[in-house]
């Protein structure tokens, strides 16, 4: 995979870092919210279950045999109980799957960001090294020229080296 | 509307009273449970709303422009917000309609029970009164016979009344 030419340069590098950090923050927020929602769901499910327990206290009374209202009430309590169970199951599933996936996504993204930074640093170091070479090139060239001049004016076996540093 | 012959007699009367009381207790329990469920729903809706507020804290970051994950997250928060609103609306509706209806049903049933008891007492009083008359009938008959015997044996203008009480 190539790297877009639009993403080269210092500004682009910083924008990429910001983006990656923002994505990590987003993942952290998402995780926090999901964990909170799971907590809400579980509390709601528990509260509904206790409503059902409260509503069933009447059930044992034998004076209500054959009452349609009692039957309807029993059905309603069953529905509430099922809803509570579903909410609890869903919370468990979100916890064991979604939150876990978010965690590994976060770890992966963090690792990717580290890799990107290391790679960037490596390339930047290479780049500055080659820049250094480039900067020394004219000086080396002039030294070479000096040597050539010296060699043409010096006697055999006698080359005085006069290189001015600076 | 007639009154079933199966429901006449002291045992049936007591069974009917028990039934009516049990129905009133059922209505009270139903009302208590509904009120509790409304409370649970409202707390859950509030908790979900605060999850949404927490989840939106990231939204303002401009570093995430064009991010599909952010878009999906926004949509998810909207869904949670809508769910919370629906739960709240439903709780309000259950409170203003169902609980109110249960209240008036309870009042109606209580009134009906009072009416039934009053009617029963009235009929029972009538019944015991006619029973009393029935019990006195033989005695009255014997008094009448005594008067007839006396009138046949007494002189003109002289009737000695000898009625033995007991």
């Amino acid at each position: 995979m190539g790297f877009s030419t639009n993403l080269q340069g210092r500004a682009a590098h910083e924008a990429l870092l910001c983006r990656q950090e923002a994505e990590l923050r987003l993942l952290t927020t998402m995780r926090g919210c999901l964990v909170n929602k799971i907590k809400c769901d579980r509390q709601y499910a528990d509260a509904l279950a206790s409503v059902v327990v409260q509503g069933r206290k009447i059930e044992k009374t034998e004076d209500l045999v054959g009452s349609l209202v009692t039957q309807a009430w029993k059905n309603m309590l069953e529905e509430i109980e099922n809803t509570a169970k579903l909410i609890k199951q869903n919370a468990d599933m979100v916890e064991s799957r979604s939150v876990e996936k978010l965690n590994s996504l976060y770890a992966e993204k963090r690792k990717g960001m580290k890799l990107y930074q290391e790679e960037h640093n490596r390339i930047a170091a290479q780049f500055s090294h080659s820049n250094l070479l480039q900067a020394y090139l004219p000086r080396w060239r002039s030294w070479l020229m000096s040597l050539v001049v010296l060699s043409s004016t010096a006697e055999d076996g006698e080359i005085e080296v006069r290189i001015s540093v600076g």
Side-chain angles (χ1 to χ4, degrees), chain A residues 58 64 66-76:
Chain A
I58 201 80
L64 289 167
S67 155
L68 292 178
V69 175
T70 311
Q71 193 51 50
W73 179 241
K74 277 185 191 177
N75 292 347
M76 189 172 155

Side-chain angles (χ1 to χ4, degrees), chain A residues 58-153:
Chain A
I58 201 80
E59 274 197 25
K60 282 157 201 158
T61 316
E62 284 173 13
D63 300 318
L64 289 167
V65 170
S67 155
L68 292 178
V69 175
T70 311
Q71 193 51 50
W73 179 241
K74 277 185 191 177
N75 292 347
M76 189 172 155
L77 289 178
E78 259 174 46
E79 288 297 321
I80 296 178
E81 195 174 34
N82 288 339
T83 307
K85 276 182 193 162
L86 277 178
I87 290 174
K88 204 160 210 155
Q89 277 172 14
N90 184 59
D92 291 345
M93 206 193 66
V94 169
E95 189 175 51
S96 66
R97 292 195 201 171
S98 312
V99 175
E100 279 314 301
K101 275 189 185 160
L102 269 182
N103 279 342
S104 58
L105 205 62
Y106 184 88
E108 222 170 87
K109 208 154 199 65
R110 200 164 189 88
K111 208 172 135 194
M113 190 176 163
K114 207 182 151 205
L115 198 73
Y116 167 75
Q117 275 178 311
E118 283 172 0
E119 196 69 1
H120 180 269
N121 290 343
R122 198 181 57 76
I123 294 170
Q126 272 189 349
F127 182 70
S128 69
H129 185 64
S130 81
N131 263 9
L132 206 65
L133 290 180
Q134 207 76 27
Y136 275 101
L137 212 56
R139 195 171 299 175
W140 289 342
R141 204 166 274 150
S142 79
W143 290 346
L144 201 63
M145 289 305 290
S146 307
L147 281 173
V148 170
V149 170
L150 278 170
S151 69
S152 66
T153 57

